Amino acid sequence: MNTFPSLDLADHLLQSIRDLGFDSPTPIQTLAIPVILAGQDVAAEAQTGSGKTAAFVLPILQRICAGPPMDPAPIRVLTLAPTRELALQVAGVYRSLARRAPRSIKILGVIGGEPTEQQIAALAKGVDVVVATPGRLLDLIGQSVLDLSRMEVLVLDEADKLLDLGFSDALAALLPLIPARRQTLVFSATLPQALLDLSAPILRDPVTLRVDDAPVGPVGIQQRVIEVDADSRRMLLQHLVEAESWQRALVFVATQRASDLLAAKLRKAGIWAASLHGGLDQEDRATVLARFKNGKLRILVATDLAARGIDVPKLSAVVNFDLPRSPSDYLHRIGRTGRAGATGVAVTFIDHKSAAHFRVIEKHSQIQLPREQLLGFELSGEALRSSKGPAPKKGARKSKKDKLRELAAQDETMAARSPPTEAG
Ligand code: AMP
């Protein structure tokens, strides 16, 4: 059996792991930790929720602690993450795993939405690990306040997302400033050719790691595809929240406007909901996230980018209200539920217009999911067929009478409940 002690991790790290309550390493941790400890470059395909962050943070912390302390500390590790939320979360993982280290390890988030001056001041005092988003990193490189000449490890986290964000510019600016002799670790939910091409010049004899050998998608996540008219999606969502007793659900939509609208309508219907998107300032985003984590919100409606990096331990469900654009977005989204061994459900709504696109996502993800329709929310017009998949299970769940009774009861509960007063 795999255990953390068998991975040759230092005692202080084993203690931090125990503090966090991790019993045994996840598959990506078992694969990646020894390779990274051995100093090799890595291109790893690991989804969000697989425990990938600790998979690189643990061996990196071990490396930092092995060297002599220097004052002020030079930047030895640079981790790039596509969004502020993810960068903050990754910095949090570094901090919690470094808590028992024999000496203090300085970790700094270099992210947008926060004053540059504070980050520059912290850098001047000495920092071991920088976790940065590409935009702010470029900004600070432009101001010549980042000395990366003694950097030892470069990590690209959620690298497939970095690609979409003009990341190659950041990389071009970065490469001349960092030592050629370094360890480079690329972590990504998928390893598309464009990413492999971009990474090839920065990796040295990389070891490729894949843990995604389960063709049915991430373990512990039940994936459901429900056919429903676009106009009926909100009512179906409300129905599912109540009928399935979801305590905390993350609902994905395509645009900021759709996010605000849907959250407002849900609140009107008596469900505690808020909207999270890139149009909100950093403080509002942090507040909404904190309320969602504290259980004060039952539904968080979000766009893909805003939701990146959200780590909520007990997510009952993820809903694709609007379809994700790409198969990797689909995996990222559904990876938000069923994290690290917990079970969760990922529900995708499709209609006549979006069915073909979802078939493409299934094909690329090597999955084929049965279609369902729920009584009272049936798709109008002709039934959809997946290319080979089974015909939809029409009304497999409830009789029409049950459904009507339930809807009536639901209306009563909604009327009895005073509507939430806060805005998202
Ligand atoms: P990540 O894939 O890095 O986003 O991690 C997903 C979640 O799994 C986070 O909430 C981690 O705290 C948790 N996690 C990471 N490693 C383990 C482990 N070995 N056992 C249990 N949970 C873990």
Side-chain angles (χ1 to χ4, degrees), residues 4 17 20-26 28-29 46-56 58 86 89 93 157-158 310-313 335-336 339-341:
F4 279 112
I17 289 167
L20 290 178
F22 300 170
D23 294 330
S24 51
T26 64
I28 187 64
Q29 291 164 358
Q47 285 145 24
T48 302
S50 60
K52 65 179 170 59
T53 317
F56 60 79
L58 285 164
L86 182 67
Q89 189 186 313
V93 175
D157 192 16
E158 299 203 355
I310 289 183
D311 181 18
V312 185
R336 307 276 149 198
R339 317 205 89 191

Side-chain angles (χ1 to χ4, degrees), residues 35-43 60 63 75-80 148-156 167 170-186 196-207:
V35 177
I36 301 175
L37 280 177
Q40 287 185 274
D41 282 7
V42 163
I60 284 177
R63 176 186 188 130
I75 298 171
R76 295 175 62 182
V77 180
L78 174 64
T79 303
L80 276 179
L148 296 167
S149 61
R150 288 155 85 185
M151 205 195 75
E152 295 168 30
V153 188
L154 171 66
V155 186
L156 310 184
F167 162 65
L171 206 56
L174 190 64
L175 285 181
L177 307 178
I178 61 179
R181 269 191 74 81
R182 56 159 201 274
Q183 186 175 26
T184 304
L185 312 173
V186 175
L196 293 174
D197 291 347
L198 188 72
S199 315
I202 59 170
L203 290 165
R204 227 175 353 123
D205 299 331
V207 178

Side-chain angles (χ1 to χ4, degrees), residues 227-229 350-353 355 359 371-373 378-387 389-394:
E227 297 174 352
V228 58
D229 289 329
I350 60 166
D351 66 1
H352 289 287
K353 263 193 181 157
R359 276 202 298 275
R371 275 36 175 178
E372 299 172 40
Q373 290 195 18
E378 292 92 342
L379 189 70
S380 50
E382 238 174 79
L384 291 167
R385 303 263 156 196
S386 76
S387 49
K393 289 191 282 176
K394 217 168 192 181

